[in-house]
């Protein structure tokens, strides 16, 4: 196994989880001078918004109202962070 870098996420209740990524991978995904923590945070926001979208728009049956509201908030946060609607980034809308 190649070299790795450790990142740590801290939750609102203070719990922490550390994880390893291949050394240099975050640099490949970053723009020049962009901090590695911003890149990892961007990926987390993107992944969570996409997963919420899948749960609400691509699952069978009705979705509870609270989950639909979470998805809407995730899409709004995505747009605030990246300057484009999630549906545009995904290439489709509902």
């Amino acid at each position: 196994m190649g070299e790795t870098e450790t990142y740590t996420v801290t939750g609102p209740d203070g719990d922490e989880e550390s994880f390893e990524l291949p050394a240099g991978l975050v640099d490949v995904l970053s723009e020049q001078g962009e901090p590695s923590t911003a890149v990892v945070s961007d990926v987390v926001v993107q992944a969570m918004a996409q997963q919420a979208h899948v749960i609400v728009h691509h699952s069978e049956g009705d979705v509870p109202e609270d989950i639909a509201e979470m998805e809407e908030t995730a899409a709004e946060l995505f747009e605030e962070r990246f300057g484009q609607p999630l549906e545009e980034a995904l290439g489709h809308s509902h």
Side-chain angles (χ1 to χ4, degrees), residues 53 57-58 71 85-94:
H53 174 88
H57 297 289
H58 299 278
E71 187 273 336
L86 177 62
E87 291 180 342
E88 184 178 305
L90 294 174
H92 72 276
S93 62
H94 298 275

Side-chain angles (χ1 to χ4, degrees), residues 48-49 51-59 61-77 86-87:
M48 296 299 283
Q51 290 301 310
H53 174 88
V54 168
I55 291 167
V56 170
H57 297 289
H58 299 278
S59 61
D62 292 331
V63 176
E65 189 173 319
D66 62 331
I67 294 176
E69 185 177 320
M70 288 178 215
E71 187 273 336
E72 185 176 319
T73 300
E76 291 170 359
L77 292 170
L86 177 62
E87 291 180 342

Side-chain angles (χ1 to χ4, degrees), residues 16 20-21 30 35 37 46-47 63-64 73 94:
E16 290 187 351
E20 301 289 320
L21 293 174
S30 69
T37 52
Q46 178 183 7
V63 176
T73 300
H94 298 275

Side-chain angles (χ1 to χ4, degrees), residues 27-48:
D27 293 334
V28 170
L29 301 173
S30 69
E31 296 179 13
Q32 188 174 12
E34 186 177 22
S36 60
T37 52
V39 175
V40 173
S41 297
D42 283 350
V43 171
V44 170
V45 170
Q46 178 183 7
M48 296 299 283

